[in-house]
Amino acid sequence: MATSTPSILSSDLFGGRLTIDLDAIAANWTFLNGKLSGAAECAAAIKGDGYGTGQDKAGPALYAAGCKTFFTAVPAEAVALRELLPDAVIYVLDGLFPGAAEFFPHHDLRPVLASVEELKDWSALCKSAGRSFKAAVHVDTGINRLGLPPGDLSAALGDPDLCGPFTPSLIISHLACGSTPAHEMNQRQLKLFREVTEPFSHIPRSLANSAGVLMGPEFHFDLVRPGIALYGGQAIDTEPNPMKPVAKVEARIMLVRDVAEGDTIGYGAKQTARRPLKNAVVAAGYADGMLRRAGSTDERPGGFAMIGGFKAPILGRISMDMITLDVTDVPDHLVQRGAFVEMLGPSVAAAELAAYAETIDYEYLTSLGRRFERVYAPLT
């Protein structure tokens, strides 16, 4: 007999669950805002779909917490955010793509202009419209990505053809080594940013990312734009992370099996059982953002999961759809078919897992949960 097809996917149809705590994101913004000195404003970087947490949910949560200025990467992100937050100030960090200038005032968006060519395009738009549309200007202080060379900033801002038709609403630069506060590059960039922008101190200035906020008042200027810290990531490598975790990944156990000493596990036979083992195979893999580089071999240990307070090391390579865990020392009642294990979250910090994958927590957060059930709820 035929059965009806459910209109909504049941939780039982997903191999994993991604839980995101919006209250924790809001609390992290409030914490960083409380670190600011003077009248500095705390904005939020929300690019990469809110660092993987969902821009459509994270944006309103941050706005409700008090954040009124946001930074996206590309125009498409910005227009989607504008539909959610009609009163917010929204900057686009990647600036002006050729032919896109008219898009910005139509959606009340502000490009971050990073070259003479972009300044020319924006000025031409303002001239043709007879209006001074708002935009930021980016000056490069040493990261050698986007931004006007420091020596060109003064000439550009003083050129009536480039900046006569509009007054920049913000001057920004970006720290290259903020995750390591003792790195000499931080003080070098701070000094250069202060020097090149001092003649334009009537224009608001912004240098600090998440790390810059935590490094102290000298980096704050008029506006800070934290990103990774809002989403629970570790902004400074050399200090304990003060931020609340906001995401938890749980994967479902598909089966538990015994592995004899001397047998190999996974693709490439890279991991050999050094004792009789009990394996749990879970329904998550690199297609879900669990990075392949965190796998284990006989020469190099990989990452781990947590099951009821017990550590379960990854065994062998991480494959597209599954990961094998060593649950030999985990009580049997915790590793039953269908049970969930924590792959990332309060007990498995994204930064710690990223170290095994030789990457950073940014990559994990922005890659997570393509096939997971997504739940917005407090982390437990």
Side-chain angles (χ1 to χ4, degrees):
M1 183 176 67
T3 59
S4 60
T5 302
S7 58
I8 299 176
L9 289 178
S10 162
S11 296
D12 294 335
L13 303 180
F14 294 91
R17 180 168 59 209
L18 171 59
T19 304
I20 296 165
D21 189 338
L22 296 174
D23 289 340
I25 294 175
N28 285 340
W29 182 87
T30 300
F31 172 82
L32 294 172
N33 187 52
K35 292 285 185 182
L36 301 186
S37 55
E41 177 187 357
C42 189
I46 198 167
K47 57 188 179 169
D49 196 27
Y51 285 61
T53 65
Q55 174 183 273
D56 59 330
K57 298 293 194 300
L62 287 162
Y63 189 86
C67 181
K68 298 299 184 275
T69 300
F70 295 82
F71 288 81
T72 66
V74 296
E77 292 177 327
V79 72
L81 186 63
R82 171 59 71 215
E83 293 175 2
L84 298 168
L85 305 176
D87 300 323
V89 175
I90 303 175
Y91 286 97
V92 178
L93 288 164
D94 286 4
L96 278 181
F97 300 149
E102 292 184 0
F103 173 91
F104 285 80
H106 181 73
H107 294 281
D108 189 22
L109 306 174
R110 304 182 186 185
V112 179
L113 306 172
S115 67
V116 169
E117 291 77 12
E118 290 185 352
L119 286 167
K120 287 179 178 177
D121 285 353
W122 194 250
S123 291
L125 175 69
C126 293
K127 287 177 184 177
S128 66
R131 294 181 59 187
S132 178
F133 298 123
K134 293 182 178 179
V137 174
H138 193 155
V139 58
D140 175 38
T141 54
I143 198 170
N144 280 299
R145 299 191 311 182
L146 297 177
L148 292 165
D152 293 354
L153 180 68
S154 180
L157 294 184
D159 187 333
D161 289 328
L162 286 180
C163 293
F166 77 100
T167 299
S169 56
L170 187 68
I171 302 175
I172 80 165
S173 193
H174 192 63
L175 295 170
C177 301
S179 61
T180 311
H183 199 292
E184 63 177 2
M185 190 72 173
N186 294 311
Q187 290 300 320
R188 190 188 314 160
Q189 286 189 268
L190 175 63
K191 181 176 182 292
L192 181 56
F193 184 68
R194 187 181 288 124
E195 288 174 353
V196 299
T197 61
E198 191 60 38
F200 311 101
S201 58
H202 60 287
I203 300 173
R205 294 176 286 177
S206 176
L207 177 62
N209 54 7
S210 295
V213 175
L214 298 173
M215 285 196 294
E218 62 182 344
F219 288 89
H220 294 168
F221 291 93
D222 302 293
L223 180 142
V224 301
R225 45 185 205 280
I228 190 64
L230 295 174
Y231 310 101
Q234 185 158 347
I236 293 179
D237 295 339
T238 55
E239 298 176 8
N241 186 6
M243 313 313 298
K244 292 179 178 291
V246 308
K248 179 167 69 171
V249 172
E250 298 166 287
R252 191 185 300 276
I253 295 175
M254 295 185 285
L255 64 82
V256 180
R257 66 184 304 148
D258 294 323
V259 178
E261 182 178 359
D263 280 359
T264 59
I265 303 106
Y267 281 126
K270 296 295 184 181
Q271 180 96 63
T272 305
R274 300 183 184 279
R275 59 170 178 162
L277 296 177
K278 183 170 62 176
N279 276 8
V281 184
V282 300
Y286 58 75
D288 305 293
M290 305 309 296
L291 303 180
R292 186 173 183 269
R293 296 187 300 278
S296 180
T297 70
D298 288 339
E299 291 75 34
R300 174 185 175 275
F304 63 93
M306 293 296 293
I307 308 175
F310 293 86
K311 198 169 189 177
I314 293 174
L315 288 171
R317 285 180 174 169
I318 292 173
S319 56
M320 182 185 293
D321 309 308
M322 63 190 77
I323 295 171
T324 304
L325 302 174
D326 182 354
V327 294
T328 310
D329 300 321
V330 181
D332 289 345
H333 72 278
L334 295 176
V335 289
Q336 298 301 307
R337 174 173 169 257
F340 283 97
V341 304
E342 183 180 333
M343 305 300 299
L344 179 149
S347 302
V348 188
E352 185 173 6
L353 188 58
Y356 288 102
E358 299 177 344
T359 185
I360 54 177
D361 45 7
Y362 296 69
E363 185 176 7
Y364 264 105
L365 291 172
T366 56
S367 301
L368 287 175
R370 297 182 181 93
R371 299 183 296 185
F372 293 152
E373 178 186 19
R374 182 169 290 220
V375 177
Y376 287 91
L379 298 187
T380 55

